[in-house]
Amino acid sequence: MLSDALLLFIVLAPGLVALTGLFHKIIGDKIVMYATTGVVLTAGALSLFQLFAYAAGVGGHGGDAHGAAEHGHAVTQHIITLMPWIHVGDFQADWAIRVDTLSIVMMAVITGVSGLVHLYSWGYMSEEPHKARFFAYLSLFTFAMLMLVTADNFIQLFFGWEGVGLASYLLIGFWYQNKAPNDASIKAFVTNRVGDFGLALGIMAVFCIYGTVEFAPFMEALRENAMVTPIAFADPAPAREVIMNFLGYRVWAVEVIGVLLFIGAMGKSAQFFLHVWLPDAMEGPTPVSALIHAATMVTAGVYLVCLLSPLYEYTLVAAGMITVVGAVTALYAATVGMAQNDIKRVIAYSTCSQLGYMFFAAGVGAYEAAMFHLFTHAFFKALLFLGAGSVIHGMHHEQDMRKMGGLAKFMPLTYAAMMVGTIAIIGLGVPHTKLGFAGFFSKDAILESAFAGGVEHVAFGQMAFWFGIVAAFLTSFYSWRLIYMTFHGPRASESAHDDHAHAAQDAHDDHAHDDHGHDHDHTPHESPMVMLIPLGLLSLGAIFAGFFFYDYFVDHSNEAFWAGAIYRASENHVLHARHEVPEWVIYAPLIVTLGGFLLATMTYFFNRGVGKRIADTGGPLYSLFYNKWYFDEIYNATLVRGAAFLGNIFWKADKKVIDGVGADGMTALTLFSARRLSAMHTGRLYHYAFVIIGAALVFGALMWLNAGGAN
C-alpha cells in the first residue's frame, strides 16, 4: 500500500489543482491545462501502481484467503483521519480517507480514466475558447468522486455524492449558451435530486436506528447482529431484527434502509424510471461522456450497493428490488439502443444496459462480479466514448450515423480502437479458457451467478439471467450496427456534410465550432496523436483487464483480494455456486452474442438497405424503441405538466390570497389610509386650529358625559 502522503495526494490533489481555474486570467489557460492534466495523470499512475502491487501481494500469498479475512468477517482497511467535522453527541463524522480493496479499485478506475480523458481533451477541445474552465471542472469532478469512494461515513459520502452531481451539471451544461445543453444539465440535476432524496432519507434512517453515520460501527452491528438501541421509530433489538414504524406500518428496518439507499443509487446510476437524464447528458462534450458515463459517476450507485453488502446480505425485498430493476434496465436500454442513430446515444444506452448487469449481479449476491464488470466496463466504455469522439472530430462534429459510412479507410486507428471496444462490450470469448476480451470474463461471471442464484432460490435470479441473455443478444446487434453504419459501406454523400456545415448550431454535442478555425474541408480525417494515445491505452485495458484480474475479482483468490471489503453471510454463495451451473448456461452468452453479430451483419453489412427500410416503415415496435418507450412524453404529460399545473394553482393562491390579503393587502390599506389622511395636511393654520378646537370639544364632551354618568 502507498504511503499516507501519496494516498492523500491521489485524493486531494485533483481538488486543489481545480482551483487554478479561478486564476486562469492571470496564469493563462495552458498553465491550468498542464497543472490539471499532470496532477490527475500522476494520481492515475499511482493508483494503478497501487492496484497492481496489491494484486501481486495477494497472488504472492497463494490466494490464501484465511490470512486476510476469514469468510469476509475481518475487514482489512486503513483509515487516514484528516480532521474532525461534525461531533454532536452520537452524531460523529470526520473528514477521513478509507483505504480498502473497494476504494483501491475505485481510485484506480477514477483517476486512470480521468487522466486519459484530460489528455484526450487537449486534442478534442483544442478549438474551445474556455479550456481552463473545462479542465478545472474535470478535476473538480475527479476530486468529488474520489471523496465519495474513500469516505468512511455516510455524510462524507453524501458530500462526494452531491459534489459529482454539481460537477456533472457544470460539465453537461458546459456550452450553457445553447438551450439543449442547458436543458440536459437541468434534467440530470433534477432527476438525480429525486434519487438523492431517497439516499438522504436512508442516511437519516441509519442514524435513527443504529445511532451512527459511520460505516464501520453500522456494518459491524449488522455482521455481529449486536443489540442496538434506536434513537427513534423502533425499540431495542438485534441489529438485523429491528422493526420500525414506517408510514403507519411495522417493517424490518434493514429493508426500509436498503430500499431508500438503493433509490439514491437508482438516480445516480440511471436505472429504470430514473434513467431519463443519462441519454440527454450526451449534450455535453464527448470527453465528459467518457468520464461521467463510463467509469465514474454512473457507477457510484453500484459501488454503494457493494460497499453495503453487510446490509443487503440480510434483505429480501431490497435485494429483490435491486435484481428486478437491474434486469429490467439491462433489457430496456438494450432495446432502445438498437433504434438510435446518434452515435453517442447508442453508447449512452449501452452504458445504461451494462449498469443493469452490475445491479442485478449485486442483487443476487454476486457483489464481486458486479465490481468486476464495473472495472472492465470502465476500459471498454471509455474507449467507445472516446472513439466516438474521435469519429465526431474526424467528421467535423457530425454525430448522425446515417451520414457516416466507409470511415475505416480514413480513420484506421480509430476504427481499430472501436473494434476492440465493440468486441470487449459484447463479451466475446471462448468458455473454459482464458481467451477473451475484458467483457467476456465479467459478463459471463454475472450471468452464471444469476442463474446459480435462481437455482439457490435467490429472488428473481432466473428472471435476471434470461433478461441478461436477451440483452446480450441485443448488445451484440446494436454494437455491430454501430460499427457497420459508421465504418463500412459507402461513404455518405458530400451534400450531407455541406448541409451540416451551413446549418445553424444544432442541439447535439460539440455544437459546430466552425467559427473557431475549421478549414471547412469536410473530408473525414484521423484524430491527432494526443487523442489516439488514450485510445491505445484503453484498448490494452479492454483486451487484458479481464484476463489479468479474473482470478482476483471472482475466482480462486477473490477472498484474499477483497479481504473482507465485501461481506458474505455464509461460505456458500452464488459466486461459488456458479461453477456448478449446466454447460448450456456457460455457452448461452457466446451463442446469443454470435447470433446478434450475424443478424447485424446480414442487416447492415450485406443488405445495408434493410435497416433503413425498417426505420422508414416505422412499425409499432420500432417506434416504441426509437422513442425510448415514450418515457419522456409520459413524464412530460404527467410529472412535468402536473407539477406546472399545481405550481400555477399554488402561485395564484399565494398571489391572490396570501399576498393579496396579507402583505399586499396591508400595504394597500396603509397607502389608502395615508392618502386620505394626507389630504388633511393643507398647511393652513386656521385649518389646524379648527381641528384642535373641534377635538378639544369632542374630548371635553366625552369627559363631561363620563363624569355625569359616574354620578
Side-chain angles (χ1 to χ4, degrees):
M1 191 175 293
L2 296 175
S3 67
D4 287 1
L6 290 177
L7 288 168
L8 290 176
F9 175 85
I10 292 172
V11 177
L12 302 180
L16 295 174
V17 79
L19 298 176
T20 59
L22 298 174
F23 309 102
H24 72 97
K25 291 185 178 179
I26 300 173
I27 62 178
D29 288 358
K30 282 292 180 67
I31 299 297
V32 177
M33 294 165 66
Y34 276 117
T36 53
T37 305
V39 164
V40 178
L41 279 173
T42 303
L46 290 171
S47 297
L48 288 169
F49 170 79
Q50 178 175 240
L51 175 62
F52 278 96
Y54 177 73
V58 170
H61 289 87
D64 180 13
H66 299 285
E70 184 178 358
H71 308 320
H73 287 271
V75 180
T76 303
Q77 62 179 213
H78 175 55
I79 304 294
I80 307 172
T81 302
L82 302 178
M83 65 183 74
W85 186 13
I86 304 173
H87 287 191
V88 181
D90 292 332
F91 195 96
Q92 303 284 319
D94 294 327
W95 287 109
I97 307 300
R98 188 193 85 260
V99 184
D100 60 8
T101 310
L102 275 171
S103 61
I104 287 172
V105 170
M106 292 302 296
M107 281 192 283
V109 166
I110 294 163
T111 56
V113 172
S114 181
L116 295 178
V117 167
H118 275 73
L119 181 63
Y120 179 93
S121 299
W122 277 73
Y124 193 86
M125 304 294 286
S126 59
E127 298 166 6
E128 171 59 46
H130 304 293
K131 290 187 280 288
R133 177 163 59 90
F134 181 77
F135 278 81
Y137 287 170
L138 288 181
S139 293
L140 175 64
F141 178 92
T142 306
F143 165 71
M145 194 68 200
L146 288 167
M147 292 301 293
L148 189 162
V149 300
T150 59
D152 84 325
N153 60 76
F154 281 104
I155 306 303
Q156 186 177 325
L157 179 139
F158 194 73
F159 167 80
W161 198 272
E162 297 304 306
V164 293
L166 169 64
S168 67
Y169 168 80
L170 296 172
L171 287 166
I172 294 168
F174 180 75
W175 287 308
Y176 61 86
Q177 303 93 337
N178 301 297
K179 185 177 186 300
N182 256 338
D183 291 347
S185 63
I186 293 171
K187 187 176 185 178
F189 197 80
V190 171
T191 305
N192 273 276
R193 297 293 74 72
V194 176
D196 293 353
F197 182 66
L199 178 66
L201 288 177
I203 294 172
M204 295 175 195
V206 169
F207 180 70
C208 288
I209 300 300
Y210 297 97
T212 183
V213 291
E214 296 179 291
F215 293 145
F218 167 58
M219 292 192 272
E220 185 64 24
L222 289 169
R223 290 189 192 96
E224 303 299 331
N225 202 23
M227 285 293 296
V228 295
T229 303
I231 296 172
F233 306 119
D235 298 321
R240 304 174 206 155
E241 302 164 24
V242 175
I243 296 177
M244 63 183 294
N245 294 311
F246 183 75
L247 300 177
Y249 296 93
R250 289 175 58 80
V251 292
W252 296 107
V254 290
E255 298 286 6
V256 174
I257 292 170
V259 169
L260 289 173
L261 293 176
F262 175 61
I263 290 172
M266 285 176 63
K268 198 65 72 183
S269 294
Q271 292 299 282
F272 198 65
F273 291 124
L274 296 180
H275 66 277
V276 291
W277 68 268
L278 189 143
D280 286 358
M282 296 301 103
E283 297 296 344
T286 299
V288 173
S289 303
L291 181 61
I292 294 178
H293 308 119
T296 52
M297 189 178 92
V298 293
T299 59
V302 180
Y303 163 80
L304 178 64
V305 172
C306 293
L307 173 69
L308 298 177
S309 56
L311 170 66
Y312 290 108
E313 278 289 280
Y314 297 106
T315 65
L316 291 176
V317 175
M321 179 180 176
I322 294 170
T323 306
V324 170
V325 171
V328 170
T329 304
L331 182 57
Y332 158 77
T335 62
V336 177
M338 292 193 303
Q340 302 306 302
N341 297 310
D342 184 308
I343 188 170
K344 284 176 61 179
R345 284 182 180 267
V346 174
I347 303 173
Y349 277 105
S350 171
T351 299
C352 201
S353 182
Q354 298 303 309
L355 289 167
Y357 276 96
M358 299 176 208
F359 272 112
F360 77 68
V364 300
Y367 309 102
E368 298 93 335
M371 288 300 300
F372 190 26
H373 200 52
L374 183 158
F375 180 73
T376 59
H377 176 263
F379 293 104
F380 56 73
K381 188 50 61 68
L383 175 61
L384 288 170
F385 267 121
L386 295 184
S390 183
V391 170
I392 294 166
H393 185 270
M395 285 291 290
H396 309 281
H397 303 284
E398 179 60 72
Q399 293 182 212
D400 193 332
M401 295 187 299
R402 293 170 296 185
K403 297 180 181 180
M404 299 177 187
L407 295 184
K409 63 180 179 180
F410 295 97
M411 311 175 70
L413 297 178
T414 298
Y415 172 60
M418 289 291 284
M419 283 292 290
V420 169
T422 297
I423 296 172
I425 194 173
I426 66 174
L428 187 62
V430 181
H432 298 303
T433 73
K434 291 294 185 73
L435 299 176
F437 283 42
F440 161 69
F441 295 95
S442 55
K443 184 183 288 188
D444 281 26
I446 287 174
L447 291 172
E448 291 163 12
S449 298
F451 185 89
V455 173
E456 296 292 325
H457 306 294
V458 174
F460 306 107
Q462 288 281 304
M463 184 204 80
F465 169 77
W466 287 111
F467 276 39
I469 287 292
V470 177
F473 170 79
L474 300 179
T475 300
S476 180
F477 175 81
Y478 68 67
S479 297
W480 287 109
R481 172 180 178 264
L482 184 152
I483 290 292
Y484 292 141
M485 289 183 69
T486 305
F487 293 102
H488 291 273
R491 191 163 72 89
S493 64
E494 289 292 335
S495 61
H497 302 296
D498 294 336
D499 292 341
H500 174 74
H502 292 92
Q505 289 186 337
D506 65 11
H508 290 298
D509 171 45
D510 311 322
H511 298 86
H513 293 296
D514 280 341
D515 55 336
H516 298 310
H518 277 172
D519 57 8
H520 296 278
D521 175 12
H522 297 292
T523 302
H525 60 81
E526 187 61 276
S527 297
M529 191 57 63
V530 74
M531 294 172 62
L532 294 176
I533 290 174
L535 294 183
L537 294 174
L538 288 169
S539 295
L540 293 176
I543 295 171
F544 297 111
F547 166 78
F548 186 84
F549 284 98
Y550 175 78
D551 186 59
Y552 298 108
F553 274 80
V554 296
D555 211 38
H556 301 299
S557 300
N558 77 299
E559 290 187 12
F561 179 77
W562 291 108
I566 288 176
Y567 171 74
R568 289 292 176 193
S570 66
E571 285 190 74
N572 299 317
H573 53 80
V574 294
L575 208 62
H576 290 163
R578 72 185 181 88
H579 294 294
E580 307 299 327
V581 298
E583 198 70 9
W584 68 265
V585 173
I586 297 173
Y587 281 93
L590 175 61
I591 293 170
V592 297
T593 295
L594 293 176
F597 164 72
L598 292 174
L599 181 61
T601 302
M602 294 300 298
T603 307
Y604 291 96
F605 187 77
F606 291 114
N607 302 285
R608 287 181 65 87
V610 173
K612 185 177 185 303
R613 288 197 296 271
I614 293 173
D616 292 341
T617 302
L621 201 59
Y622 175 83
S623 298
L624 178 68
F625 297 161
Y626 179 77
N627 291 289
K628 301 159 286 187
W629 291 27
Y630 297 100
F631 263 96
D632 285 334
E633 290 78 3
I634 293 170
Y635 282 0
N636 283 331
T638 55
L639 300 177
V640 176
R641 291 183 182 177
F645 176 74
L646 289 175
N648 190 43
I649 291 176
F650 289 128
W651 172 75
K652 288 181 177 178
D654 179 74
K655 190 71 177 173
K656 294 182 178 180
V657 178
I658 298 174
D659 287 348
V661 176
D664 291 345
M666 294 301 296
T667 301
L669 179 62
T670 302
L671 288 173
F672 175 81
S673 303
R675 289 194 184 101
R676 295 297 178 270
L677 290 172
S678 65
M680 300 175 62
H681 292 271
T682 63
R684 300 180 184 277
L685 185 61
Y686 61 86
H687 286 168
Y688 298 154
F690 177 77
V691 171
I692 292 170
I693 293 170
L697 290 173
V698 170
F699 282 110
L702 290 173
M703 292 175 67
W704 180 77
L705 289 172
N706 185 53
N711 294 328

